[in-house]
């Protein structure tokens, strides 16, 4: 899937949050691309926060982690946080704390009128 690579790319105007042209589903990667690109453009999250979330997603994907008991789709698993933290020279707890902050900022952004209007 390549989540750790440059996920942020320019999307066509036919890409929408939940549906593409003619009501077809848009791939989750496209939704993620759009959300992260918009969050970066609006300075909701930093490039480092974006990279952290993508690293966590890649690790969770590789380990086939589906849940971590926190409603985060496996992004905040202890194993994943420890692996990402060791690569960044910080503890797994620090990774989780930074990820929780970034996810909170994204959550606020997604529920904002500005984001919903552009989706």
């Amino acid at each position: 899937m390549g989540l750790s690579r440059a996920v942020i790319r320019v999307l066509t105007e036919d890409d929408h949050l939940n549906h593409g042209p003619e009501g077809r589903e848009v791939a989750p990667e496209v939704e993620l691309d759009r959300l992260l690109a918009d969050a970066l453009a609006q300075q909701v999250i930093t490039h480092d926060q974006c990279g952290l979330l993508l690293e966590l997603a890649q690790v969770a994907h590789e380990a086939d982690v589906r849940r971590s008991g926190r409603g985060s789709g496996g992004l905040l698993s202890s194993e994943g946080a420890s692996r990402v933290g060791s690569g960044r020279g910080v503890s797994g707890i620090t990774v989780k704390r930074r990820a929780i902050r970034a996810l909170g900022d994204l959550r606020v952004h997604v529920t904002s009128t500005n984001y919903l209007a552009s989706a």
Side-chain angles (χ1 to χ4, degrees):
M1 187 179 299
L3 287 174
S4 65
R5 296 289 175 215
V7 170
I8 311 308
R9 59 182 159 74
V10 177
L11 301 173
T12 69
E13 53 189 61
D14 288 333
D15 293 325
H16 300 288
L17 184 60
N18 294 315
H19 297 89
E22 300 166 10
R24 290 180 298 214
E25 286 279 321
V26 172
E29 300 85 42
V30 172
E31 290 184 48
L32 178 63
D33 286 353
R34 182 179 185 138
L35 169 62
L36 294 177
D38 189 64
L40 286 168
Q42 299 296 320
Q43 299 180 343
V44 172
I45 61 171
T46 66
H47 286 277
D48 187 57
Q49 288 173 312
C50 181
L52 176 71
L53 294 175
L54 291 173
E55 284 181 60
L56 287 168
Q58 184 66 40
V59 168
H61 174 72
E62 289 169 358
D64 200 29
V65 175
R66 300 281 184 219
R67 300 170 41 114
S68 65
R70 295 184 170 260
S72 59
L75 286 180
L76 300 177
S77 72
S78 294
E79 177 188 347
S82 293
R83 284 179 54 191
V84 170
S86 68
R88 289 176 164 246
V90 297
S91 71
I93 296 296
T94 297
V95 168
K96 283 185 179 186
R97 191 171 46 247
R98 291 175 183 173
I100 288 168
R101 186 177 307 124
L103 290 170
D105 292 343
L106 284 173
R107 187 173 293 116
V108 169
H109 179 63
V110 166
T111 58
S112 75
T113 305
N114 290 339
Y115 181 75
L116 295 175
S118 68

